[in-house]
Amino acid sequence: MENKKGVALMQLCLLGLTFMFYQSLGLGQEEQNSLQTYIVWVEKPVSRNIFSQSHEGLESWYQSFLPETTVNSNEQKSSRIVHAYRNVGTGFAAKLTPEEVKAMEKKQGFVSARPERILPLQTTHTPDFLGLHQGYGLWKQTNYGEGVIIGVLDTGIGAGHPSFSDEGVPPPPARWKGKCEFNATLCNNKLIGAKNFVGSGKGNTTDSPPVDNHGHGTHTSSTAAGNFVAGASVFGEANGTAVGMAPYAHLAMYKVCAGGGCADGDILAALDAAVEDGVDVLSLSLGGESLPFYEDVIAIGAFAAIQKGIFFSCAAGNSGPSYNSLSNEAPWILTVGASTTDRILKSEAQIGDDKNNHFDGKSLSQSEDFDSAVSLPLVYAGSVGNQLSASCKAGSLENVEGKIVLCETGGGVTNIAKGEEVKRAGGAAMILMNQETDGFSTLAESHVLPSTHVSYAAGLQIKSYISSTSSPTAKILFNGTVIGDALAPKVASFSSRGPSSASPGILKPDIIGPGVSILAAWPVAVDQTQSKATFNIISGTSMSTPHLSGIAALLKSSHPDWSPAAIKSAIMTTANVLNLAGKPIVDQRLEPADIFATGAGHVNPSKANDPGLVYDTQPKDYIPYLCGLNYTDQQIQLITKQAVICSQVEAIPEAQLNYPSFSIKIRSNETQSQYYTRTVRNVGPASSTYNLDLLVPHKMGMSVNPQMLTFTEVNQELTFHVEFIAEDGAGKDGVPISQGYLRWFSDKYNVTSPIAVVFEST
């Protein structure tokens, strides 16, 4: 009873503090209810260089846009401002009512305002799988990423985890300006920066370090730059040495996500700080739906980053396998999809008495207490409960005591929650079958009871077996960790697909990397055998993104003079398009994955370090591209932070951007050729000759001039011209997408640009 009284008293105190806070803003009760955070963009006066002023001077100018409050003072106005942006744009985030925003629109210099969005969050073996080996190769050449600073925007970090030990890591570069909000025992030469932007705005007294209460940020950080930790495993599986892609790189965590997601006002504030702090690489495993770039805070912040030479890596999203499902599509961002590795946490479902009647699956929870030798009654969830039971929703199952239950994925229920429902209803184990859209793409997850996740095809056969006999039985067999899936890498079904909605003339995603069943650091123990070195295995483009961020850090260490676009080009033009069996990379159907699933292909770090040629793009080169998107001058200024007059700029079509790939639209009955140019820079031997190799897309004609590139100097640039023309009947044979490649090859290098063609009906 005393405890309940204490909780009630605390709730009353919190309510009282909240009321007093809103009173201090000069707000009545009705206005308090409509108050929300808006991101406001403004235009700096031509006569004043706002960005050369102090932070205080900039914020004072921002305050001039705020409404007059009942209690009118600078202190109350300041408490309205959540974040004042300095580096990523001219604007601020503030607590406002819709009526106040309407009034603000009349003020000189106002550009736009919109409510803050909440964005969702989107390895013991992967270094080996990617060809990174201790003591030689790319790791040795780059000294494991030493001297490079990776900034991660996420849920915080489990400081003190062995993955963030600074053993072997030198002090940060002198240019580093950031700070670490943890105490001195947790900050070190590895974790050099840690800031919390969740609830850290003006008017909020919370000032806590970026502790990770979720796990996501600890996992992504250690994937990008975790140090070597021997004996890592989860439930005894995937045992080995855990290490990130750039183990001697420095880390800076910017906490922008909490239980409810990631507020884009906080994201923008964190990017603002990271640019000023001096990071070299930014890694964001989060994102929302497709937006025009001038409305997308990640695209806006990323442009500010690349202007400072900062490489920017983002998750493609987890909305696959549907087309046009991408996040983070701007061409100055590396957009990363997810693929498998050749490691499988294998389990099997065996039905009936026939040992040959079994189906491969995956599971992280491979219980030693479960007797796999004993057959148990098998039931289909759809026939043992209410109408929601097929997907094993909470409270939907009955009469399953001591049985193995076949559940279907989907239905708005997580796979973990399905297992919890089976256990609640007394089930002994679970077989989880895919929906048709996910095909053969299964996941190893930590369930609360013995489980195996099987394909859609396997699930259909198991359902057929159940309906064919009066007493169906099954066993679940656990096979442990198996290395050697010849079909790896496979594109994960959840990995978002192109084409890009925001800019169809840019091929996205750019690249795929390991994102399925990835072992990395976790802030708390997930099994009883773990002590201080706690790890977890999870999946998503959130996991593939930090792999690419860490690889970019290695390339930055090896080539400090390369621009972000040059690093991206090196990654894309050297990507693998074949699996370990030497066949084209497949998708969740086990059929060749198309170009909107793979982008350029699967990352090959060692080849990316020595690409031969690169397609480079400077920040100013994006302005003609943005004008070509028919953005207004003001919209482009929001992105570039400089005055742009498109009528004085020679706008270009999207596909004319000097990108390492091509994405072409062909309309039905189109007979005119499309002409594009590309410029490549020689970063290989001074004397180099490259010849042309073309795989011309279906129903298309192509010509390239010249067909040979001869270089005599390092960093020499040469330009070539490409013509695309549709053949008769293009797009009328039921094939809406076609793909190919343009490859420059020498005796040492293959520099490949993928080509996507979309046939549109008129």
Side-chain angles (χ1 to χ4, degrees):
M1 181 64 71
E2 289 296 320
N3 189 41
K4 289 182 179 179
K5 287 182 178 178
V7 171
L9 183 59
M10 182 179 293
Q11 290 173 335
L12 286 171
C13 289
L14 289 172
L15 288 170
L17 288 171
T18 303
F19 176 73
M20 286 188 287
F21 167 69
Y22 284 119
Q23 271 197 325
S24 74
L25 300 181
L27 295 171
Q29 185 64 48
E30 187 174 338
E31 290 173 298
Q32 293 171 28
N33 294 336
S34 61
L35 197 71
Q36 60 180 311
T37 300
Y38 283 80
I39 294 177
V40 181
W41 298 113
V42 294
E43 191 172 24
K44 65 180 181 180
V46 176
S47 60
R48 298 166 64 195
N49 185 359
I50 295 296
F51 288 94
S52 67
Q53 292 185 358
S54 66
H55 287 277
E56 292 77 12
L58 179 67
E59 188 167 329
S60 176
W61 177 59
Y62 287 159
Q63 288 174 18
S64 69
F65 289 88
L66 296 179
E68 297 297 324
T69 58
T70 303
V71 186
N72 188 14
S73 75
N74 285 336
E75 184 178 348
Q76 275 85 46
K77 282 190 174 185
S78 179
S79 64
R80 289 287 198 104
I81 291 183
V82 179
H83 299 296
Y85 306 126
R86 180 179 177 85
N87 300 291
V88 296
T90 313
F92 54 92
K95 297 180 185 298
L96 300 164
T97 66
E99 294 75 20
E100 289 171 341
V101 172
K102 193 72 176 173
M104 189 186 296
E105 293 174 359
K106 301 174 183 177
K107 298 201 173 187
Q108 185 178 4
F110 175 87
V111 174
S112 66
R114 63 164 179 79
E116 182 177 64
R117 291 189 305 152
I118 304 299
L119 306 184
L121 292 162
Q122 300 284 347
T123 105
T124 52
H125 183 61
T126 48
D128 280 342
F129 182 67
L130 294 171
L132 299 173
H133 304 289
Q134 198 165 359
Y136 65 95
L138 181 58
W139 264 355
K140 184 177 181 181
Q141 294 164 18
T142 62
N143 202 22
Y144 306 92
E146 183 178 300
V148 179
I149 303 167
I150 302 175
V152 180
L153 273 65
D154 216 297
T155 62
I157 192 167
H161 191 284
S163 290
F164 308 124
S165 161
D166 64 355
E167 183 177 352
V169 182
R175 57 185 165 78
W176 173 246
K177 301 176 185 176
K179 66 177 182 177
C180 184
E181 293 178 353
F182 289 108
N183 62 46
T185 61
L186 296 177
C187 302
N188 55 28
N189 288 335
K190 165 62 71 176
L191 183 59
I192 62 172
K195 296 180 179 179
N196 184 7
F197 290 86
V198 177
S200 63
K202 299 294 177 65
N204 192 318
T205 57
T206 301
D207 186 19
S208 59
V211 174
D212 187 7
N213 298 315
H214 184 285
H216 193 273
T218 301
H219 199 280
T220 56
S221 298
S222 65
T223 301
N227 214 328
F228 296 90
V229 182
S233 68
V234 182
F235 297 109
E237 299 300 327
N239 196 11
T241 296
V243 60
M245 296 296 99
Y248 287 177
H250 309 285
L251 273 171
M253 167 54 66
Y254 300 86
K255 182 173 179 176
V256 296
C257 307
C262 318
D264 60 1
D266 295 340
I267 293 169
L268 205 55
L271 292 175
D272 199 70
V275 169
E276 187 160 316
D277 289 346
V279 302
D280 299 301
V281 175
L282 276 164
S283 186
L284 279 72
S285 291
L286 47 93
E289 73 277 7
S290 177
L291 291 172
F293 301 142
Y294 56 83
E295 292 183 359
D296 184 343
V297 300
I298 293 179
I300 292 170
F303 197 90
I306 63 119
Q307 286 179 309
K308 298 288 188 180
I310 301 168
F311 187 86
F312 211 96
S313 175
C314 286
N318 298 334
S319 299
S322 301
Y323 287 114
N324 298 104
S325 55
L326 290 165
S327 298
N328 303 314
E329 303 150 282
W332 48 88
I333 292 173
L334 183 74
T335 309
V336 186
S339 56
T340 66
T341 71
D342 63 340
R343 181 182 65 195
I344 301 172
L345 303 178
K346 188 177 178 183
S347 55
E348 298 176 29
Q350 179 182 312
I351 58 176
D353 297 324
D354 186 354
K355 292 183 179 180
N356 295 318
N357 203 5
H358 62 89
F359 305 94
D360 288 344
K362 294 177 186 173
S363 180
L364 178 55
S365 305
Q366 305 207 0
S367 174
E368 295 179 357
D369 299 329
F370 183 73
D371 191 349
S372 295
V374 176
S375 293
L376 295 174
L378 173 65
V379 295
Y380 170 51
S383 60
V384 290
N386 59 38
Q387 67 270 25
L388 302 176
S389 62
S391 57
C392 297
K393 286 193 174 182
S396 66
L397 297 179
E398 54 190 37
N399 301 320
V400 299
E401 290 84 356
K403 298 175 182 178
I404 297 177
V405 182
L406 175 66
C407 297
E408 298 180 8
T409 60
V413 184
T414 67
N415 293 343
I416 302 300
K418 295 174 191 294
E420 292 171 346
E421 168 61 11
V422 173
K423 185 174 182 179
R424 179 207 63 79
M430 176 178 68
I431 300 173
L432 188 63
M433 67 170 282
N434 270 347
Q435 296 289 312
E436 184 175 7
T437 53
D438 294 321
F440 293 88
S441 189
T442 54
L443 302 174
E445 296 175 294
S446 176
H447 292 283
V448 296
L449 79 174
S451 304
T452 184
H453 186 173
V454 300
S455 69
Y456 174 70
L460 289 181
Q461 293 184 62
I462 296 171
K463 286 171 71 173
S464 177
Y465 162 73
I466 292 172
S467 63
S468 70
T469 179
S470 59
S471 301
T473 61
K475 299 176 183 178
I476 295 181
L477 310 176
F478 297 119
N479 308 113
T481 304
V482 178
I483 305 292
D485 179 6
L487 294 181
K490 300 189 289 284
V491 182
S493 63
F494 60 75
S495 186
S496 290
R497 268 59 165 181
S500 168
S501 298
S503 182
I506 300 295
L507 176 60
K508 292 283 181 171
D510 294 305
I511 198 77
I512 56 174
V516 177
S517 299
I518 303 303
L519 183 147
W522 203 250
V524 295
V526 298
D527 75 66
Q528 295 178 349
T529 66
Q530 295 180 335
S531 54
K532 187 176 181 181
T534 53
F535 295 88
N536 200 5
I537 291 177
I538 54 178
S539 301
T541 53
S542 283
M543 284 62 255
S544 53
T545 299
H547 278 93
L548 269 296
S549 305
I551 290 166
L554 297 178
L555 301 186
K556 187 88 172 176
S557 177
S558 184
H559 305 282
D561 58 325
W562 281 9
S563 70
I567 293 174
K568 178 197 283 192
S569 173
I571 289 171
M572 291 175 63
T573 61
T574 59
N576 293 333
V577 295
L578 302 178
N579 58 27
L580 295 180
K583 303 293 184 181
I585 291 172
V586 299
D587 60 15
Q588 75 283 349
R589 305 165 299 167
L590 300 186
E591 296 179 7
D594 69 41
I595 199 166
F596 292 119
T598 63
H602 191 271
V603 63
N604 185 324
S606 297
K607 285 187 176 180
N609 191 48
D610 187 18
L613 306 175
V614 294
Y615 295 80
D616 206 354
T617 307
Q618 298 304 316
K620 63 181 176 58
D621 299 328
Y622 292 106
I623 292 175
Y625 158 82
L626 292 169
C627 290
L629 289 176
N630 294 320
Y631 289 176
T632 67
D633 296 348
Q634 195 173 65
Q635 288 166 346
I636 295 173
Q637 185 173 341
L638 284 179
I639 300 168
T640 63
K641 294 166 294 300
Q642 63 186 78
V644 172
I645 304 174
C646 280
S647 62
Q648 300 176 7
V649 173
E650 188 175 344
I652 61 172
E654 299 163 73
Q656 175 59 21
L657 188 68
N658 198 44
Y659 213 67
S661 58
F662 293 87
S663 183
I664 309 298
K665 279 186 177 181
I666 300 292
R667 292 181 176 84
S668 178
N669 300 319
E670 184 172 338
T671 58
Q672 290 187 331
S673 295
Q674 295 186 27
Y675 296 93
Y676 303 102
T677 61
R678 290 290 189 271
T679 299
V680 289
R681 188 171 82 241
N682 179 27
V683 294
S687 180
S688 303
T689 298
Y690 290 83
N691 292 292
L692 178 67
D693 175 29
L694 283 179
L695 177 61
V696 180
H698 174 71
K699 287 291 185 178
M700 292 294 295
M702 282 184 66
S703 66
V704 179
N705 183 39
Q707 297 187 8
M708 178 184 292
L709 301 176
T710 301
F711 296 90
T712 58
E713 300 176 11
V714 175
N715 290 324
Q716 180 183 354
E717 293 187 336
L718 292 176
T719 297
F720 61 92
H721 305 266
V722 185
E723 177 188 9
F724 295 92
I725 187 166
E727 295 180 352
D728 289 342
K732 296 180 180 179
D733 55 1
V735 181
I737 296 171
S738 184
Q739 61 191 65
Y741 61 75
L742 184 158
R743 176 179 296 149
W744 294 106
F745 69 93
S746 68
D747 56 356
K748 182 179 180 182
Y749 299 104
N750 286 291
V751 185
T752 305
S753 292
I755 302 168
V757 179
V758 176
F759 299 107
E760 291 186 325
S761 58
T762 53

